[in-house]
Amino acid sequence: MLDLFLCELFHWVLNMMPARTRRADRNTPMSYSGDSAMRPMPVWYHETYTEGINRSARFPRDRYRMLRERLNDLHGTGLICIESPEPVDRDILLIAHEQDYVDRFLSGSLDTKEVRRIGLEPWTDAFVPRTMRIIGGAVEALAHVTRFGGMAANLAGGTHHSHRSFGSGYCVFNDLAICALLARDEHGYEKIAVLDLDVHQGDGTATILEGEEGILTISVHGEKNFPFRKAKSDHDFPLPNGTGDEGYLLAVKESLAIIEDFSPEILLFQAGVDALEYDALGNLDVSQDGMRIRNGMVFSSLDRRTPCVLFMGGGYSDPIEHTVDAFHDLFVAAAESNALYGSH
């Protein structure tokens, strides 16, 4: 029964979402050849993504470095190019966060309770610069797809637990909310979709973007997982522990149908892989094949037209190699999809 369902999903991925006519304006992507050498997917990365976290922190910091090394094979083919992010400007943070919180973080003035709520302790001197470069990578990726179309990625981030006035769950500032508001208010997009497929609900994204005109938020997550007090996205898909491939992919399919009806001009994709069956914090028991199908469903839905920014999200398998494998699959699929933009 499951094999039949997965087979049907494969066909659905291949045939979903016919070509759409979009309004021609300054945000319409440039036309590129399908030759990957002419359209590498830019991936923002800096060594501080790993080194800015203390070795003793309870967090798999080496996943960033390991994935960057694994991506060397794609870099050699011309499918991706690695970009180094600049630290984000403080004023950009204020589009989604309260000034008092931003300034106290930057000056090292958060109290012990606030630091503990964020986690990643003990913080190093590089932690603030790390945070600023991660947000910088997301903002630069957004600017890239706005100018050139296609896809771009940040090899970190997806910091969806950060709220306007506090951080939480490894997240200091909310890159998804910042990019959604920048996309609308600075880049001129009128319809922005935020799709969060991390196993943990995007609660901070939901609260920051609640009621924001032209922005759609969707979260597919574990019902009984962190955060235990859920926020309200525009559309939430809470899933029970042990859901597995079929239930997870059905929720993804329903999410993509909502996005299709919304017809966004850009997609911000939080692509955490912590729904994976090996994940220590996940509990949804999705197979690696199921994660690959998920990736294909999302990228097929873009129809080689809709610009997309990819945010890395969570992944905590033990050993961490399972997470790195799943992220590698994700970035390969994204780069291959990006190479096809404009090839209608």
Side-chain angles (χ1 to χ4, degrees):
M1 187 70 178
L2 179 58
D3 290 341
L4 176 61
F5 169 78
L6 295 178
C7 182
E8 291 174 346
L9 263 178
F10 271 123
H11 286 291
W12 181 80
V13 168
L14 291 175
N15 295 296
M16 70 184 297
M17 297 193 185
R20 299 184 292 273
T21 301
R22 297 184 180 277
R23 63 186 177 91
D25 61 14
R26 64 187 179 85
N27 291 322
T28 301
M30 297 170 60
S31 179
Y32 282 79
S33 157
D35 183 353
S36 65
M38 296 184 68
R39 182 188 275 280
M41 182 180 76
V43 176
W44 272 262
Y45 172 79
H46 194 279
E47 63 182 10
T48 194
Y49 288 6
T50 289
E51 300 302 326
I53 299 177
N54 194 294
R55 287 185 179 276
S56 63
R58 296 180 60 186
F59 185 87
R61 71 173 203 154
D62 289 331
R63 67 184 189 177
Y64 306 107
R65 173 187 55 78
M66 293 169 68
L67 179 58
R68 169 64 186 90
E69 292 171 356
R70 287 282 303 277
L71 291 179
N72 280 334
D73 57 348
L74 287 186
H75 191 265
T77 66
L79 275 172
I80 69 168
C81 59
I82 302 297
E83 304 286 347
S84 181
E86 293 297 320
V88 70
D89 186 85
R90 165 192 172 275
D91 289 347
I92 290 179
L93 301 174
L94 301 181
I95 195 172
H97 295 284
E98 293 183 2
Q99 180 176 334
D100 175 70
Y101 170 59
V102 170
D103 288 343
R104 287 191 301 110
F105 172 77
L106 294 178
S107 65
S109 302
L110 296 185
D111 64 37
T112 301
K113 183 178 179 180
E114 290 174 303
V115 171
R116 187 179 304 119
R117 188 170 192 171
I118 292 170
L120 302 173
E121 300 174 88
W123 290 0
T124 69
D125 291 341
F127 188 72
V128 169
R130 173 187 188 269
T131 300
M132 301 298 274
R133 284 192 188 272
I134 287 177
I135 303 298
V139 169
E140 290 174 36
L142 171 65
H144 178 91
V145 301
T146 297
R147 181 178 180 186
F148 298 112
M151 301 179 65
N154 197 17
L155 213 158
T159 47
H160 57 175
H161 298 312
S162 173
H163 296 250
R164 280 199 178 272
S165 60
F166 63 92
S168 177
Y170 307 144
C171 304
V172 180
F173 300 125
N174 194 310
D175 51 3
L176 291 146
I178 290 169
C179 284
L181 294 167
L182 279 176
R184 185 191 66 186
D185 298 343
E186 300 295 331
H187 295 301
Y189 291 99
E190 296 179 0
K191 301 179 79 173
I192 301 108
V194 181
L195 175 63
D196 191 330
L197 299 185
D198 193 280
V199 80
H200 305 106
Q201 191 209 30
D203 57 329
T205 307
T207 60
I208 293 173
L209 297 178
E210 183 179 9
E212 291 288 349
E213 184 177 358
I215 301 175
L216 175 76
T217 58
I218 300 178
S219 179
V220 177
H221 54 265
E223 179 182 24
K224 298 185 181 301
N225 214 318
F226 180 89
F228 300 107
R229 180 178 296 176
K230 300 292 191 289
K232 183 174 176 56
S233 311
D234 291 321
H235 298 275
D236 284 300
F237 293 84
L239 302 175
N241 288 349
T243 287
D245 288 7
E246 183 172 354
Y248 181 72
L249 294 174
L250 277 173
V252 173
K253 182 178 179 181
E254 291 178 33
S255 298
L256 294 175
I258 293 170
I259 291 174
E260 181 182 18
D261 289 341
F262 181 66
S263 296
E265 296 164 332
I266 186 170
L267 177 69
L268 307 180
F269 178 25
Q270 210 281 18
V273 299
D274 39 8
L276 193 67
E277 60 188 334
Y278 304 108
D279 200 273
L281 304 180
N283 301 321
L284 286 189
D285 295 339
V286 177
S287 71
Q288 189 164 354
D289 283 341
M291 297 299 290
R292 292 189 187 109
I293 295 172
R294 176 202 79 167
N295 300 337
M297 292 168 68
V298 174
F299 299 144
S300 294
S301 77
L302 299 171
D303 198 31
R304 294 176 287 176
R305 295 176 183 269
T306 306
C308 176
V309 179
L310 182 65
F311 301 76
M312 189 167 158
Y316 312 95
S317 68
D318 186 11
I320 198 60
E321 283 76 9
H322 293 301
T323 289
V324 175
D325 287 344
F327 275 131
H328 186 261
D329 290 341
L330 170 73
F331 278 80
V332 169
E336 290 176 345
S337 177
N338 175 73
L340 296 175
Y341 269 68
S343 62
H344 282 279

